[in-house]
Amino acid sequence: MSPTTLYLAKLMGAYSLFAAAWLMWRREAALGLVDRISNDPVFESMIGTLRLVVGLAIIVGHNRWGGALEALVSLIGWIALMSGIATMFLPTGTLRRAIVWMRFKEKLSFYALISSLLGAALFIGGVTA
């Protein structure tokens, strides 16, 4: 396993765990941020740019598909890249419609659980490999 894979797995895993905890303990702040981002074209473009940069950084530095952990890290990079491009170039309001379609507010606990499970898998995989 490459040191890059282990580093990115631990980094993304820890981030996902903190993000899940934030979603649960600061629910109103999280919902407010999502609402603000999805209703402001400037914030929406900024988030798209950040996703694009993170996705490119992961793909350029780590586009490996050999093992499960490597594939998961690379997949997250590609998802970040594609969502960044979509957020930047799709019409304003597409992100807002996606959030409504996902029923983010009603299913926040579910999304926090997914984030924590993904984070735990990445972090444990990065630490124990």
Side-chain angles (χ1 to χ4, degrees):
M1 189 81 52
S2 79
T4 305
T5 300
L6 300 177
Y7 171 78
L8 288 172
K10 290 184 274 190
L11 176 71
M12 290 190 287
Y15 171 78
S16 294
L17 289 169
F18 281 116
W22 180 70
L23 286 172
M24 294 307 297
W25 279 291
R26 298 289 314 272
R27 181 181 178 89
E28 292 307 315
L31 291 172
L33 180 62
V34 167
D35 185 56
R36 176 86 184 259
I37 290 168
S38 66
N39 285 304
D40 187 328
V42 174
F43 278 128
E44 191 174 329
S45 295
M46 182 184 76
I47 292 301
T49 302
L50 289 172
R51 287 178 179 170
L52 177 74
V53 168
V54 167
L56 282 172
I58 293 169
I59 292 166
V60 169
H62 185 284
N63 194 24
R64 298 183 183 99
W65 299 89
L69 190 60
E70 288 178 325
L72 185 56
V73 168
S74 295
L75 179 63
I76 290 170
W78 280 100
I79 290 170
L81 175 70
M82 293 301 147
S83 71
I85 291 169
T87 304
M88 288 174 68
F89 293 106
L90 288 176
T92 301
T94 302
L95 180 61
R96 181 175 47 250
R97 287 188 295 279
I99 290 167
V100 169
W101 178 80
M102 291 171 51
R103 295 185 17 214
F104 187 77
K105 190 179 220 178
E106 296 86 14
K107 295 185 174 191
L108 183 65
S109 297
F110 172 74
Y111 293 118
L113 175 65
I114 296 299
S115 179
S116 63
L117 292 174
L118 178 64
L122 284 164
F123 191 78
I124 291 169
V127 170
T128 60

